[in-house]
Amino acid sequence: GAGVSQSPRYKVAKRGQDVALRCDPISGHVSLFWYQQALGQGPEFLTYFQNEAQLDKSGLPSDRFFAERPEGSVSTLKIQRTQQEDSAVYLCASSPPGTGGQETQYFGPGTRLLVL
Amino acid sequence: DQQVKQNSPSLSVQEGRISILNCDYTNSMFDYFLWYKKYPAEGPTFLISISSIKDKNEDGRFTVFLNKSAKHLSLHIVPSQPGDSAVYFCAASGGGNTPLVFGKGTRLSVIA
């Protein structure tokens, strides 16, 4: 079946521009996560949705970062007034409905953002 | 303050031999551990996981061992194949769809 898809795969933005990154989770997966991966590091948590509800946004680095999932399926991560330190790979992951508290997250290919 | 540590940035192994990748964690609330494999320009691919109620889980050539008292887990790949060359990430969670906490990864090179 289809995995998690993300678009665009690559994005170059000028400092100060707004960007929007899209994630299509695996069909039927209620949980959706966004992670940020800087060069040479492991992914770091940004935010988590269960259906359309954003249950945890503790990892968002600033109020320039905003995520939504209005219909409980596709999610968009928006970064306003991009800065050079926002350059990273943004990963989306989804997981199926609960199976006893230990759900595996499946990742998309990521969007590589470069802010010049 | 890293909660999940992979202290070896890289590992080189000959084809056919065993690869052992190590991971340490500090948070005793973690109860679910996963290994992901990542090729360049792709997202992490789930490999194998283990619950804290177990000390071993095996799937084909891949075995994960968990030592809770030492807060240590390891991934064994045997026999190693050139296609196993990738970056391997250890991840941990408190279960219940809580966010994963990742190590920095270990780059495995399997030499033919």
Side-chain angles (χ1 to χ4, degrees), chain A residues 9 31 35 41 95 101 104-105 108, chain B residues 32 36 41 43 95-97 100 104:
Chain A
R9 291 293 312 275
S31 297
Y35 292 84
Q41 305 294 315
S95 64
T104 297
Q105 295 179 26
Chain B
Y32 188 49
Y36 286 85
N97 266 325
L100 294 176
K104 290 188 176 182

Side-chain angles (χ1 to χ4, degrees), chain A residues 14-33:
Chain A
K14 290 184 180 177
R15 189 160 52 101
Q17 271 187 327
D18 297 349
V19 297
L21 313 179
R22 177 187 167 107
C23 172
D24 284 83
I26 295 171
S27 177
H29 281 195
V30 300
S31 297
L32 185 146
F33 299 81

Side-chain angles (χ1 to χ4, degrees), chain A residues 43-109:
Chain A
E44 292 191 357
F45 170 73
L46 293 176
T47 187
Y48 159 54
F49 290 86
Q50 187 166 11
N51 295 304
E52 68 279 4
Q54 189 174 21
L55 299 186
D56 188 347
K57 53 182 182 179
S58 61
L60 295 176
S62 78
D63 58 7
R64 296 186 296 104
F65 287 70
F66 171 77
E68 60 184 5
R69 194 185 183 197
E71 296 177 0
S73 179
V74 170
S75 177
T76 304
L77 176 67
K78 297 179 179 178
I79 309 173
Q80 297 176 322
R81 305 181 303 281
T82 52
Q83 303 294 315
Q84 286 185 321
E85 62 262 27
D86 300 334
S87 297
V89 176
Y90 290 85
L91 293 162
C92 176
S94 68
S95 64
T99 53
Q102 293 173 339
E103 293 78 24
T104 297
Q105 295 179 26
Y106 297 90
F107 284 81

Side-chain angles (χ1 to χ4, degrees), chain B residues 5-92:
Chain B
K5 297 179 184 179
Q6 294 178 255
N7 290 320
S8 298
S10 63
L11 175 68
S12 193
V13 171
Q14 270 203 311
E15 181 179 7
R17 306 295 287 266
I18 185 171
S19 295
I20 300 176
L21 295 98
N22 293 302
C23 178
D24 297 291
Y25 62 96
T26 57
N27 189 340
S28 57
M29 298 302 291
F30 288 147
D31 66 357
Y32 188 49
F33 304 88
L34 308 91
W35 285 93
Y36 286 85
K37 174 180 177 180
K38 188 179 182 307
Y39 292 120
E42 294 184 11
T45 300
F46 171 69
L47 201 53
I48 193 169
S49 62
I50 188 166
S51 161
S52 61
I53 62 172
K54 296 184 175 181
D55 55 18
K56 177 182 174 181
N57 188 26
E58 191 172 351
D59 183 3
R61 297 185 297 114
F62 303 91
T63 303
V64 56
F65 295 92
L66 175 62
N67 182 334
K68 286 193 296 291
S69 61
K71 295 192 177 66
H72 177 83
L73 63 156
S74 60
L75 174 68
H76 292 209
I77 307 172
V78 55
S80 302
Q81 299 173 353
D84 297 329
S85 297
V87 177
Y88 288 78
F89 289 98
C90 171

